[in-house]
Amino acid sequence: MGERSVTEALVDQWIPELGGRRDSDESDSASGSATESATESATGPRGDEPVGAGPYADGVSVVISYRSGDDLAGCLDSIRSQTLSVDSFEVIVVVEGAPGELDRVLSESAEQPMTLRAVELSGIGVFCHRDIGVAAARRPFIAFVDARDRISPGYLESLLKHADDETILLAPVVPVAGGDPPTVAEALMSSAGTLVPAALAKQVERDATPRSAHDVVFFMAMLADHRCGLRETLVADGEATYHRAAGSAAEPSDPPDFESDVVVRLEVIAQLDALSHDCDPATLDLLCRQVDAQVDVLNAYLRQNPAAHPRVVQLLDEYELENFPYERLNAGMARALAVAYCFAPYNDSSAVVMAKRVRDRADIVDVVFNSMDKNRERDPSLRRICGPYVENELAIDSPTYFSNWAAIEAFCAEGLARISALERAKGTYDRLYSRVMWPASHFLAAAYKLRNPTVAWTAEFSDPAARDVAGAERRAPISPGPLLDMVQSELKRKDIPLLGSRNCLDWCEYLAYACADSIVFTNENQRDYMLSYCPIAEVADMAREKSVISPHPTLAPAFYSMVQHPYVLDQSVVNLAYFGNFYATRGLGDVLQALARLEPDVRARLRLHVFTSKPADLQGHVDDLQIGDIVRSNGYVRFLAFLNLATKFDCLIVNDALTADSHERNPYLPSKWSDYTGTGRPVWGLVEAGSPLSTRPLTFASPVGDVDAAAGVLHELACRRGSPLS
């Protein structure tokens, strides 16, 4: 009885179709090793023929996964009792256990009247039982069996009758302990109870998938990459029944373990997600169910270890997963409710800021928002920002309007109904967040707060709701009805003064001032301005006491490299970038006019790259100024791509809104500042005196509307070409 060490090189020899490809340069000791022995069999000894070399004999290789303590003798008895001729199958026992386990297995099986080989798998390296069994198989089909399980006498013969070279077969499985048989998705989490064509199995690339979940990736790779079919064998009278005692590969560890329940699962999910890009619908559905099963293990871990959630999110951020089911990750964990009329995945600045708020608060939420498919583009990548902290997404199918009262009523009525349905399972929420650019958010939040006074409500204002940028009153009539009646009744009951206005935008601000427990403003100017026109002084005073100043959040550095934008820059010049709407008379208009005034040799050292919603309008203005040689007009880019793109420029430009003619102090802080500050790049602000932006640590600043000052900054930038700008 000969023995030899099994290394990766030998496994590659066993798989001649791969041409000796090696996945790893690790040493044998690092990657795990094995010892292979062969008993003399009914069909004669193996001789010196390389294992796995063709042509294949007919029949099936039965690969048995054995771990220390398994009842191998009982498993071998069920195989010895097969109706299939003994010369039509070989048995390969892959042994994992303590030193000497291989000798014990061989002694138990020495008298078996069938071809039997044993391979010892030691260490935890890159190999798994199935890897070794597939590599060593010499028959055209491979049946996988766990040593704890048993197969019916007709099992192998019946499976071979149904086998073909392009199909995975699933045998009927009967759990020994009782209960329901596994679903197809559950069956593929373990190789036990399956039969595969050996030629295809040997072509599946071996990778670094942890052995505890290797099988599901193996089978899904056969289905997705190799277009293998999948069929359940429904054989009459139990001729091909697999009696299963083994547990599911998707069960969480006991006790919970971060490495196996989180790190391993995320690696498996990432590999499954990579297989999803070119699947047929049936395979994609099955793949998604496999991902769901892995995420359920993550959820079980987090339910027992909620303090580990930030650590899990940090790890999750490292993966680019297109189809990750965040609702399963956080299932049963949300004790907070977020209301944002516009929310991810819609590509809108208000949706982005609220997504960042959810991330910044790190509080798992159920979120209510309006379905905006007819009004906004979807950007699924935005879910990477907020998804790790969202359980249920309640998309309300109501008409999309900024301040139409009937639309607000419809949003609130349906929102309250959907929230109530969730509360029947989880109870009243502990915390409530809402954010307004769109006024409906605060109306729904106020209605919920008035019904549930113990909930802690935080209300945020992006900008003034009841005044426009010129300080003029925004008006939208409010009408009597169930929502207004309920609000007024509850305010009276709580001894809160009623607002006499019939303008729903006044009510939007007033309800937050009167009922919220905390009110968030992005800057002091905004707070002072908004409270200055509140018609009831005592409510304004109360709002000031519970106000919080919190600028828009800046995302972590990892978000600036999640999406790589391929935009090409000329590194011989100073590259400036402006992201936002183009107005010829303000902000960027100053920069364009200043560029046109520069001496030709100075402006030749500069390039301005503009990313805007209407690049054609910009280009027309650029052509009029005869600066088309140094200005590049581009359309908007999606948010994560924008973050990455912004890191590539020498200087980023941001401008204040013009308010000097209508406001004592500018109350607007551009949300773009929070994104720019995370790039680490120099920022040039075109600012109004005393504005929130003017107080930020800008690298360069010039008064908005002052073309000469803008030209001075451009001249300084051009002169610094080749030197650090910060």
Side-chain angles (χ1 to χ4, degrees), residues 13 29 33 48 95 117 145 203 213 225 227 275 316 394 412 415 464 471 497 517 549 607 637 652 702 721:
Q13 177 190 351
S29 61
S33 62
D48 294 327
V95 179
R117 286 176 288 140
V145 179
Q203 292 179 42
D225 284 350
R227 296 298 189 266
L275 294 170
L316 181 58
L394 306 182
C412 291
D517 299 278
I549 303 302
R607 293 291 183 277
V637 294
L652 303 169
S702 63
R721 180 169 63 87

Side-chain angles (χ1 to χ4, degrees), residues 418-624:
R418 297 280 297 278
I419 293 167
S420 295
L422 282 180
E423 286 184 313
R424 284 193 283 272
K426 63 171 55 182
T428 304
Y429 291 94
D430 301 325
R431 297 169 298 282
L432 170 65
Y433 308 118
S434 63
R435 184 177 188 275
V436 159
M437 190 197 80
W438 300 78
S441 301
H442 283 350
F443 281 103
L444 176 53
Y448 184 84
K449 170 69 173 180
L450 289 170
R451 290 185 178 185
N452 304 280
T454 60
V455 69
W457 176 23
T458 298
E460 177 177 348
F461 287 97
S462 167
D463 295 314
R467 299 291 187 272
D468 66 18
V469 71
E473 184 179 5
R474 287 195 182 108
R475 296 198 60 83
I478 195 168
S479 305
L483 178 58
L484 183 58
D485 290 346
M486 185 274 287
V487 166
Q488 290 181 319
S489 174
E490 288 297 318
L491 290 178
K492 286 179 183 178
R493 193 172 66 81
K494 297 177 184 298
D495 256 350
I496 298 174
L498 294 183
L499 189 64
S501 171
R502 288 302 179 194
N503 181 356
C504 78
L505 297 168
D506 289 339
W507 274 94
C508 170
E509 294 181 353
Y510 183 77
L511 285 173
Y513 299 162
C515 302
D517 299 278
S518 178
I519 304 167
V520 176
F521 299 98
T522 62
N523 64 88
E524 292 87 348
N525 292 5
Q526 177 197 7
R527 177 196 61 196
D528 295 344
Y529 172 62
M530 291 181 65
L531 295 182
S532 72
Y533 60 78
C534 177
I536 301 177
E538 63 185 279
V539 172
D541 292 342
M542 181 170 58
R544 182 178 293 276
E545 289 179 5
K546 56 189 177 183
S547 67
V548 175
I549 303 302
S550 178
H552 307 101
T554 296
L555 290 171
F559 282 90
Y560 289 79
S561 58
M562 283 185 178
V563 174
Q564 296 295 322
H565 197 288
Y567 196 77
V568 177
L569 295 173
D570 180 353
Q571 300 298 331
S572 69
V573 298
V574 174
N575 291 287
L576 297 84
Y578 177 90
F579 297 85
N581 290 323
F582 163 68
Y583 301 98
T585 59
R586 82 171 203 222
L588 185 60
D590 300 348
V591 179
L592 298 178
Q593 292 181 53
L595 281 170
R597 293 185 184 183
L598 293 177
E599 300 87 347
D601 64 316
V602 175
R603 74 182 195 186
R605 303 175 203 166
L606 303 169
R607 293 291 183 277
L608 173 62
H609 306 260
V610 182
F611 300 84
T612 186
S613 59
K614 296 180 179 179
D617 291 353
L618 168 66
Q619 192 60 50
H621 193 67
V622 166
D623 292 341
D624 290 342

Side-chain angles (χ1 to χ4, degrees), residues 149-189:
D149 302 340
R150 307 290 182 264
I151 56 177
S152 62
Y155 184 82
L156 295 178
E157 184 175 6
S158 296
L159 287 182
L160 280 179
K161 287 179 182 178
H162 292 81
D164 65 62
D165 293 338
E166 297 180 344
T167 304
I168 299 170
L169 292 182
L170 301 179
V173 174
V174 177
V176 173
D180 296 329
T183 64
V184 171
E186 291 169 341
L188 295 180
M189 291 173 188

Side-chain angles (χ1 to χ4, degrees), residues 335-354:
R335 296 300 312 140
L337 179 66
V339 184
Y341 192 79
C342 187
F343 191 66
Y346 296 112
N347 191 16
D348 181 275
S349 59
S350 62
V352 169
V353 175
M354 187 58 171

